[in-house]
Amino acid sequence: DEFMEEKEHCSEKDFLLGVLHEGLKKLPVKHYEALRLTILESRGLSLRNVCARSGIPYSTLRHRSKQGLCMMRKYLERTLRDRT
């Protein structure tokens, strides 16, 4: 019984990771790069420090990140809704 629960948990986790990965691949390159810089690889740096390292203006990176998150949210909502 415990083994089956663990197996179901792992398959659910794998499914969700797959959905996230697919959603990121569907983003326009500029939005993907913004999310990669600000969330996936920021390593605790402030947005201003990420901007200084990347050479992308603060307002541009912030805007693209927000748009990318909005696109990801819509994709996840649609995908998870369609699954049920």
Side-chain angles (χ1 to χ4, degrees), residues 55-66:
I56 301 171
Y58 175 84
S59 59
T60 301
L61 191 58
R62 189 170 143 239
H63 180 72
R64 288 178 185 168
S65 292
K66 283 185 172 186

Side-chain angles (χ1 to χ4, degrees), residues 46-61:
S46 70
L47 184 57
R48 293 210 185 271
N49 286 337
V50 171
C51 291
R53 283 185 169 192
S54 68
I56 301 171
Y58 175 84
S59 59
T60 301
L61 191 58

Side-chain angles (χ1 to χ4, degrees), residues 24-78:
L24 287 169
K25 286 188 340 185
K26 291 178 183 288
L27 289 175
V29 173
K30 290 180 179 183
H31 296 91
Y32 169 78
E33 286 299 313
L35 290 181
R36 184 182 63 76
L37 290 169
T38 59
I39 295 175
L40 302 173
E41 298 177 5
S42 66
R43 293 185 172 89
L45 292 176
S46 70
L47 184 57
R48 293 210 185 271
N49 286 337
V50 171
C51 291
R53 283 185 169 192
S54 68
I56 301 171
Y58 175 84
S59 59
T60 301
L61 191 58
R62 189 170 143 239
H63 180 72
R64 288 178 185 168
S65 292
K66 283 185 172 186
Q67 283 186 320
L69 285 173
C70 184
M71 290 176 201
M72 281 296 294
R73 184 181 310 112
K74 288 177 182 178
Y75 173 78
L76 292 172
E77 287 172 350
R78 190 173 54 250

Side-chain angles (χ1 to χ4, degrees), residues 7-17 80 83:
K7 188 175 179 181
E8 287 175 18
H9 174 72
C10 286
S11 66
E12 184 71 15
K13 180 180 170 184
D14 290 342
F15 169 76
L16 292 173
L17 286 172
L80 296 176
R83 183 177 188 224

